[in-house]
Amino acid sequence: AFIYLGSKRAMADSAVSLARVLAPGGHVLIYHANRWRLREPFTGSPLMGILGPRSASLVGRLTGWKGSHDRLRLLGPFSMARTLRGAGFTDVTIGAVNHRSVIRGPRAWRSKFYGVVARTPG
């Protein structure tokens, strides 16, 4: 559901709330669409996920390409990890699923969707 939070502040506040309600040592898993893809994960249009909302709107008007900025907030895996660390989570790990196995490292960071697992201190 993080993808539907429209601002950095809303995402940060939600991460803090998650950290507050989880038991000490509890884990959270967030599965999210990757902003850093050449094609936008939901519409398939080139570059629209990488562009900011204003630029995507202008490019969309000129090219007819569709973006999701009006409905979704895409984050890259490192931005999501930074958001969770800022909320007090530790042991933040980025991964992705590829043919029923979990991958990590650069392949996971470039995947269409990624997961971030983090633990609350304690």
Side-chain angles (χ1 to χ4, degrees), residues 39-52:
R39 294 201 171 269
E40 205 267 357
F42 298 104
T43 66
S45 295
L47 304 176
M48 295 302 276
I50 295 171
L51 298 173

Side-chain angles (χ1 to χ4, degrees), residues 27-30 84 89-95 104 115-119:
H27 289 81
V28 64
L29 166 65
I30 297 177
L84 293 174
F89 285 93
T90 60
D91 300 331
V92 178
T93 305
I94 300 167
R104 293 194 175 94
V116 177
V117 177
R119 185 176 64 83

Side-chain angles (χ1 to χ4, degrees), residues 79-103:
S79 296
M80 180 63 79
R82 188 173 40 250
T83 299
L84 293 174
R85 283 188 192 102
F89 285 93
T90 60
D91 300 331
V92 178
T93 305
I94 300 167
V97 176
N98 184 20
H99 303 291
R100 296 189 209 175
S101 64
V102 175
I103 56 173

